[in-house]
Amino acid sequence: RAIDWRGTARTGKTHTKIYREERERPVLVLCDLSRPMRFGTQLLLKSVQAAHLTSLISWAAVQRGDKTGALIFSDTMHRECKPQSRKQSVLSICHQLIQISQTQSSAATSAQAFEDSCARARRLARPGSLVYVISDFSQLSPTACQHLTTLSRHCEVKALMITDPLEQALPDVPNQRRVQVTDGIHRQSWLLGSKQQQEQYQHFREQQSQHIKDALQLAGISLQLISAGQALDEQLNSQGFRSQ
């Protein structure tokens, strides 16, 4: 299998192929810092956990000798850091994470921002690149799925879905209590401590999560869940996470 038959026939001497481990593989991180990500009920905001994960992946890629870059976006702005193999590239990524995190988010453009960023990632990522998409995927539209599907045909794409404990189940309280909740636009009334309300909420969240999983699977993208309510190193160790 290792014989180079063309070289052998041309020279009359046996030539064998020598395989070398791929180095400087481009790694691109698509990090979502839009309005839906700026939510958290326990340890961290989802956007903060996403920033931590982006920096971790970037440092790990540079340490391996790979080129690392990022596309970081909020509702109103985005920054592109082209893949480079120097430590300065990671410092630039961290700087952009901080800068965008400090900007105010719009309440009406999150879905469009996610679609546009997926389109930019498709154009920016070179064939053969390793692409991480870090988001809660609440803005995963059919158009965004089309961009990600096209991207996965030429690159290895991994989705890291940031979740919050409140997105899995309502708080368990001893006595029923009615609370008002809002996402900044819409307002709802929830009855905490109600078994029926808990089941309806959990069923809705499970359907929403399954829809995202099915869409990403159809696009040929692997999915891993990361909680914003638990320290990142604990999760990565328990899940056997590898940034490669």
Side-chain angles (χ1 to χ4, degrees), residues 211-232:
H211 172 73
I212 294 173
K213 292 178 182 178
D214 292 343
L216 292 174
Q217 184 177 12
L218 190 62
I221 298 173
S222 63
L223 175 65
Q224 185 169 356
L225 303 183
I226 300 292
S227 174
Q230 184 181 0
L232 186 58

Side-chain angles (χ1 to χ4, degrees), residues 32 87 113 216 234:
D32 181 1
K87 292 183 178 180
L216 292 174
E234 296 177 3

Side-chain angles (χ1 to χ4, degrees), residues 3-244:
I3 293 178
D4 182 357
W5 293 107
R6 291 185 178 180
T8 299
R10 185 173 62 252
T11 62
K13 297 181 180 180
T14 302
H15 283 67
T16 58
K17 300 176 182 177
I18 298 177
Y19 296 92
R20 183 172 55 188
E21 182 182 2
E22 183 180 12
R23 304 292 290 177
E24 292 194 350
R25 183 188 189 186
V27 176
L28 179 67
V29 184
L30 178 62
C31 181
D32 181 1
L33 299 181
S34 63
R35 178 182 54 83
M37 292 289 288
R38 303 193 181 196
F39 172 81
T41 60
Q42 293 191 16
L43 182 64
L44 299 169
L45 298 180
K46 292 189 290 183
S47 59
V48 174
Q49 191 73 298
H52 288 176
L53 192 55
T54 298
S55 61
L56 176 65
I57 291 173
S58 301
W59 281 116
V62 168
Q63 189 174 25
R64 291 195 308 268
D66 295 334
K67 293 183 177 181
T68 181
L71 201 162
I72 308 163
F73 69 95
S74 66
D75 302 289
T76 56
M77 60 190 300
H78 80 279
R79 292 290 184 271
E80 295 179 9
C81 303
K82 294 184 178 180
Q84 297 180 0
S85 57
R86 300 188 300 272
K87 292 183 178 180
Q88 287 81 354
S89 66
V90 183
L91 295 177
S92 176
I93 291 172
C94 293
H95 175 74
Q96 296 299 339
L97 286 169
I98 295 172
Q99 187 178 39
I100 293 181
S101 295
Q102 293 174 343
T103 62
Q104 296 293 326
S105 289
S106 168
T109 59
S110 296
Q112 188 62 48
F114 188 83
E115 291 180 5
D116 293 344
S117 295
C118 289
R120 291 189 184 99
R122 190 186 69 181
R123 295 191 295 266
L124 187 62
R126 293 171 50 191
S129 297
L130 175 58
V131 181
Y132 290 94
V133 183
I134 303 176
S135 174
D136 63 0
F137 295 95
S138 61
Q139 307 298 323
L140 185 63
S141 64
T143 300
C145 283
Q146 291 177 3
H147 292 311
L148 292 175
T149 300
T150 302
L151 180 64
S152 67
R153 292 173 184 166
H154 307 286
C155 301
E156 181 182 358
V157 184
K158 297 184 178 183
L160 301 175
M161 183 175 173
I162 310 296
T163 65
D164 183 84
L166 186 60
E167 295 173 334
Q168 312 302 319
L170 293 176
D172 187 15
V173 296
N175 300 314
Q176 290 190 357
R177 181 189 313 167
R178 187 165 296 278
V179 296
Q180 299 294 323
V181 296
T182 178
D183 59 359
I185 303 176
H186 307 97
R187 182 176 295 274
Q188 293 182 353
S189 176
W190 291 355
L191 182 61
L192 300 183
S194 167
K195 184 177 180 180
Q196 181 180 6
Q197 180 90 70
Q198 176 71 275
E199 291 177 351
Q200 291 176 347
Y201 179 85
Q202 193 165 351
H203 178 66
F204 168 75
R205 286 298 186 180
E206 288 174 354
Q207 283 187 321
Q208 190 178 47
S209 179
Q210 190 60 49
H211 172 73
I212 294 173
K213 292 178 182 178
D214 292 343
L216 292 174
Q217 184 177 12
L218 190 62
I221 298 173
S222 63
L223 175 65
Q224 185 169 356
L225 303 183
I226 300 292
S227 174
Q230 184 181 0
L232 186 58
D233 57 344
E234 296 177 3
Q235 297 182 73
L236 300 186
N237 290 333
S238 63
Q239 297 181 26
F241 176 83
R242 296 182 62 188
S243 57
Q244 186 177 6

